[in-house]
Amino acid sequence: MTDVLAGRDEAQMIASILAGNSQVFHELIRPYERSVYVMALSLLQNEADAEDTAQEAFLKAFRSLASFRAEAKFSTWLISITLNEARSRLRRKNTVKMESLDEPQDEQGHISPALLRDWREIPSEAVERQEVRGLLQQAIAGLPPIYREIFLLRDVEELSIDESAKALGITVAAVKVRLHRARLMLQKKLAPQLKQINPKKRRWLPWS
Amino acid sequence: MVIECKHVWDHISGYLDGTLDPEVLAVVQKHLEHCELCSAILDSTRNILILTADERVFELPLGYSERLHARLEAEMQSIVPKKPDGG
Ligand SMILES: [Zn+2]
């Protein structure tokens, strides 16, 4: 998550909310609106469900704010709530599919990366292109749920390995194994696709 | 000590996170110095993780924030964010 939070005293804001100034909650969550939605969308793969889940997650956070422990980061706590909301919605929607989430199949197997001799750096501006965004979204959506979860927590929401382990209720060792597999799966899928987009042939427009 | 490419691949994630043991790190680093294949795999993985983490990958639905705050406003009125024994 972003570091534009300098100067915010979240502990103070939370204390104020608990003292009855519930309006402060609007301000408290503003930096996290995007993260919560992206997390929900990536897990649920449906915009309407994701938006509703995001709202539910924020409401749940408000309701249980008194149980928030100051030793954790508020953002991490919020992402854990979102993960659980998204999981229970998935469970309600599709009980059969859910089993694959709890029972990883073949976690020992090795993943081989896509083999390349050279890699030409793709600049971040490339994500301004719909074509590139589509490839990235599809690759994330294509990860099996247990790998998608750890990838989102660690590489998108930037939780630490320990925080991710706590949020998922798994060991640190399991986090490392799953994360490794998730990352290699993404490399395997995306490296050949992104190599094709060949930025040198295109003119780079000054997107705003 | 020499290490095969496929064993280097097992350490890519740990390498990116900086969680490798010093001995393993030294071996991997030495391999990367002369292996184009593993270097390209590492570079592409790092590059891909930067791209997938970019905020612009996912767009927020129009009006998302407004609807969120409106719902919070409507529902927070009837919620007291305290523990049951909080008084
Ligand atoms: Zn090699």
Side-chain angles (χ1 to χ4, degrees):
Chain A
M1 257 174 247
T2 52
D3 285 323
V4 292
L5 307 174
R8 275 167 61 96
D9 185 345
E10 295 191 338
Q12 171 59 43
M13 293 167 94
I14 290 167
S16 173
I17 296 162
L18 291 174
N21 300 315
S22 54
Q23 288 305 310
V24 176
F25 190 70
H26 290 286
E27 198 189 321
L28 176 66
I29 65 161
R30 241 175 245 286
Y32 312 117
E33 289 175 14
R34 167 176 282 276
S35 304
V36 165
Y37 175 78
V38 167
M39 185 80 195
L41 179 66
S42 302
L43 294 171
L44 297 166
Q45 317 212 348
N46 170 301
E47 288 189 11
D49 280 348
E51 180 161 349
D52 199 46
T53 297
Q55 292 181 357
E56 293 295 338
F58 284 117
L59 279 168
K60 186 157 199 172
F62 181 72
R63 245 179 250 121
S64 42
L65 198 58
S67 65
F68 170 69
R69 294 281 162 262
E71 62 265 26
K73 276 191 289 186
F74 178 70
S75 58
T76 302
W77 184 70
L78 196 53
I79 287 300
S80 298
I81 290 176
T82 309
L83 171 72
N84 289 324
E85 284 295 308
R87 278 177 158 188
S88 61
R89 180 169 296 239
L90 275 176
R91 208 170 261 127
R92 284 199 302 275
K93 284 191 83 162
N94 193 341
T95 46
V96 182
K97 230 179 176 177
M98 201 54 205
E99 279 161 26
S100 67
L101 202 155
D102 295 327
E103 289 171 44
Q105 65 287 35
D106 165 36
E107 211 168 315
Q108 307 307 317
H110 281 253
I111 303 270
S112 294
L115 306 182
L116 317 147
R117 282 277 156 214
D118 61 280
W119 178 256
R120 198 195 301 148
E121 183 80 10
I122 295 174
S124 289
E125 290 72 43
V127 303
E128 297 281 357
R129 289 164 55 183
Q130 180 58 54
E131 175 195 9
V132 174
R133 280 204 301 276
L135 290 175
L136 300 175
Q137 289 165 359
Q138 282 163 28
I140 295 169
L143 290 173
I146 61 164
Y147 301 115
R148 203 178 330 133
E149 286 184 345
I150 185 59
F151 164 76
L152 289 166
L153 290 175
R154 181 83 182 102
D155 287 336
V156 177
E157 307 299 349
E158 297 176 4
L159 268 59
S160 70
I161 290 173
D162 285 349
E163 288 166 347
S164 303
K166 263 187 214 127
L168 291 169
I170 61 177
T171 64
V172 164
V175 164
K176 288 182 181 175
V177 171
R178 289 184 192 183
L179 186 60
H180 178 72
R181 292 172 63 85
R183 288 167 167 179
L184 283 198
M185 284 177 197
L186 288 174
Q187 190 274 355
K188 186 173 195 167
K189 173 126 195 210
L190 284 168
Q193 295 176 334
L194 292 173
K195 230 175 174 248
Q196 301 292 323
I197 66 167
N198 192 9
K200 276 198 175 159
K201 279 189 182 164
R202 306 237 180 182
R203 213 162 70 82
W204 291 87
L205 301 171
W207 291 282
S208 55
Chain B
M1 187 185 148
V2 180
I3 184 170
E4 276 181 64
C5 291
K6 64 176 183 178
H7 292 122
V8 170
W9 305 340
D10 288 339
H11 298 301
I12 284 178
S13 184
Y15 185 91
L16 292 172
D17 275 337
T19 56
L20 297 183
D21 294 333
E23 315 87 75
V24 177
L25 177 62
V27 172
V28 169
Q29 236 152 9
K30 200 161 167 60
H31 180 99
L32 288 169
E33 280 169 21
H34 65 76
C35 182
E36 284 182 355
L37 182 67
C38 290
S39 298
I41 291 168
L42 178 70
D43 289 346
S44 59
T45 307
R46 185 192 282 123
N47 196 171
I48 283 165
L49 292 179
I50 290 170
L51 296 175
T52 50
D54 196 291
E55 313 207 292
R56 292 167 290 187
V57 173
F58 294 98
E59 280 166 305
L60 293 179
L62 209 63
Y64 159 75
S65 185
E66 290 74 11
R67 289 190 294 276
L68 169 64
H69 287 279
R71 175 140 180 228
L72 290 173
E73 190 60 44
E75 298 209 19
M76 284 192 320
Q77 318 259 348
S78 57
I79 303 169
V80 179
K82 287 193 170 173
K83 293 177 198 170
D85 60 338

